[in-house]
Amino acid sequence: MDRQASGALVPDVTLDRTSPVPLYYQVATRLQQQIEEGDIPVGSRLENEVELADRLGVSRPTMRRAISYLVERGMLVRKRGVGTQVVHPKVRRPVELSSLYDDLLKSGQAPRTEIREFEVRPAPDQIAEALGIPFGSEVTWIERLRYAGDEPLALMHNAVPVDVLRPRREDLERNGLYDLLRAAGHVPRMANQTVGARTASAAEARILDEARGAPLLTMTRTAWDAGGKAVEYGSHLYRASRYSFELNLTS
């Protein structure tokens, strides 16, 4: 029986049993790191929970909770008759003032951009109000489909005031918008951002390679530079099956 059929041998993990961090979380984060670094390949099937628990020296409930944690985060999937299988991990994006392009680069996801719309047009009233510019002011309107590797991840719409930046189409295909804003001297420093969710329309599902009615994450953002000038408005859709926002909270 080959390794794929019998279950992938998970590399040993080092656990700190004196740490206040729960053992299940230590196991889960070590396994997540091994998946993200390719030590446990996408598509492989893990040993069963009993074997893993015995080999890693933890209780079965601890192992089961660690596996459930990774299932919830989209790293693993349980399939009846198959077992626990490694899937493409979700892109987890921290909720901070950064661009998706930058975040994909940092996580080794090989971003690629398809420009679907690119034109200078009068800003709709809602967008002009968000940017704090006179109604009818000209903005560069951009619709982009952002890929992680060969897989579509996000459909993004942005409006940039023409007195802030006049980007070139070819630059947007090769760079993130925030890179271009920084190069123009308008470094985004503050933002108002709203995250939500809804289902995909037929057209959105087709573009994002999802089923009609699939869950999508939504994000709208207006960003300002250090001088208080609005530099971009964005309205983005993300595949919930491949993407999540991550928050670190302290008290």
Side-chain angles (χ1 to χ4, degrees):
M1 184 177 294
D2 62 23
R3 184 181 183 209
Q4 179 80 4
S6 62
L9 183 64
V10 173
D12 289 335
V13 300
T14 302
L15 305 176
D16 182 357
R17 298 177 188 275
T18 65
S19 170
V21 177
L23 280 177
Y24 89 88
Y25 187 76
Q26 292 188 50
V27 172
T29 53
R30 303 298 193 279
L31 292 179
Q32 177 179 315
Q33 182 180 11
Q34 291 169 352
I35 292 170
E36 291 177 337
E37 293 179 353
D39 295 328
I40 306 176
V42 170
S44 61
R45 183 168 60 84
L46 300 187
E47 304 155 80
N48 67 51
E49 291 177 6
V50 174
E51 293 172 344
L52 273 173
D54 289 346
R55 190 162 62 78
L56 299 182
V58 298
S59 69
R60 294 175 189 178
T62 294
M63 194 69 238
R64 187 176 306 116
R65 190 172 180 188
I67 295 296
S68 295
Y69 175 87
L70 293 176
V71 168
E72 291 169 1
R73 291 174 73 81
M75 310 289 291
L76 301 175
V77 63
R78 290 189 175 104
K79 295 183 178 180
R80 186 179 299 275
V82 175
T84 304
Q85 196 168 26
V86 179
V87 295
H88 286 287
K90 286 187 177 182
V91 174
R92 298 189 316 281
R93 183 177 183 183
V95 178
E96 58 186 27
L97 192 50
S98 62
S99 73
L100 176 58
Y101 190 92
D102 292 340
D103 293 333
L104 289 173
L105 276 179
K106 289 176 184 176
S107 61
Q109 295 279 340
R112 180 168 66 85
T113 304
E114 175 188 321
I115 308 295
R116 295 176 51 85
E117 290 185 34
F118 181 81
E119 65 174 331
V120 174
R121 63 166 69 163
D125 290 354
Q126 178 186 358
I127 293 177
E129 185 174 0
L131 291 168
I133 59 179
F135 291 166
S137 297
E138 288 191 334
V139 296
T140 302
W141 176 254
I142 311 155
E143 179 182 297
R144 294 169 293 167
L145 183 58
R146 178 62 48 74
Y147 289 80
D150 294 325
E151 195 169 7
L153 180 65
L155 182 62
M156 307 185 299
H157 298 90
N158 289 87
V160 181
V162 294
D163 65 343
V164 170
L165 176 69
R166 285 184 176 266
R168 299 186 305 171
R169 187 187 190 101
E170 56 267 31
D171 289 337
L172 285 165
E173 289 174 339
R174 295 192 297 263
N175 302 277
L177 177 58
Y178 275 26
D179 278 341
L180 300 180
L181 287 169
R182 286 190 286 263
H186 293 285
V187 180
R189 293 295 189 191
M190 302 166 287
N192 179 282
Q193 178 168 288
T194 302
V195 176
R198 64 173 176 82
T199 57
S201 68
E204 291 162 350
R206 184 175 63 255
I207 293 168
L208 290 168
D209 194 23
E210 285 281 4
R212 182 174 182 174
L216 299 177
L217 295 172
T218 66
M219 188 270 283
T220 58
R221 173 193 282 179
T222 305
W224 294 267
D225 63 16
K229 185 176 183 63
V231 295
E232 67 104 10
Y233 170 87
S235 177
H236 302 168
L237 295 172
Y238 304 90
R239 297 173 63 188
S241 62
R242 292 283 291 114
Y243 190 88
S244 64
F245 289 100
E246 185 173 84
L247 298 90
N248 292 312
L249 305 178
T250 60
S251 60

